[in-house]
Amino acid sequence: MIRKRVVVHGRVQGVFFRQECLRRARVHGVGGWVRNRLDGTVEAVFEGGRENVEAMVAWARHGPPSAHVDLVETFEEPVEGVAGFEVRYDRS
């Protein structure tokens, strides 16, 4: 099990990034969450098997078809045992 936090920069809000991230995370069996941030970025946490988490990080590098990703910051974090994946509507 691993956990990674990503912050995705570019045109990533208003392009169904969160909804597509939710769908793909569920397909990959990854726990965590995704949310829009006030600065225009999208932040997500992916937790699960290494291969599945890396697949989500790789997807975040391009996002859904309408997105234009300029940069993905990736941070390793301690595993917390998160179950399920959700869209968060709090913004920071």
Side-chain angles (χ1 to χ4, degrees):
M1 294 281 287
I2 66 169
R3 177 184 175 102
K4 291 197 176 181
R5 178 182 306 266
V6 297
V7 178
V8 186
H9 300 258
R11 189 177 55 136
V12 293
Q13 292 190 14
V15 295
F16 298 99
F17 199 103
R18 292 174 301 165
Q19 290 74 20
E20 184 63 14
C21 186
L22 171 67
R23 186 186 75 75
R24 288 176 180 265
R26 288 181 173 168
V27 167
H28 285 287
V30 171
W33 51 266
V34 62
R35 69 177 175 180
N36 285 345
R37 294 181 8 160
L38 291 174
D39 64 2
T41 62
V42 170
E43 179 180 25
V45 167
F46 306 125
E47 187 172 296
R50 180 172 301 281
E51 185 175 306
N52 292 334
V53 169
E54 293 298 347
M56 290 303 301
V57 172
W59 174 81
R61 290 190 178 105
H62 59 80
S66 298
H68 179 84
V69 176
D70 294 326
L71 171 69
V72 176
E73 297 177 88
T74 305
F75 310 93
E76 292 192 27
E77 298 184 340
V79 173
E80 293 183 6
V82 175
F85 197 90
E86 67 181 7
V87 173
R88 290 189 175 173
Y89 294 98
D90 60 321
R91 296 167 64 127
S92 62

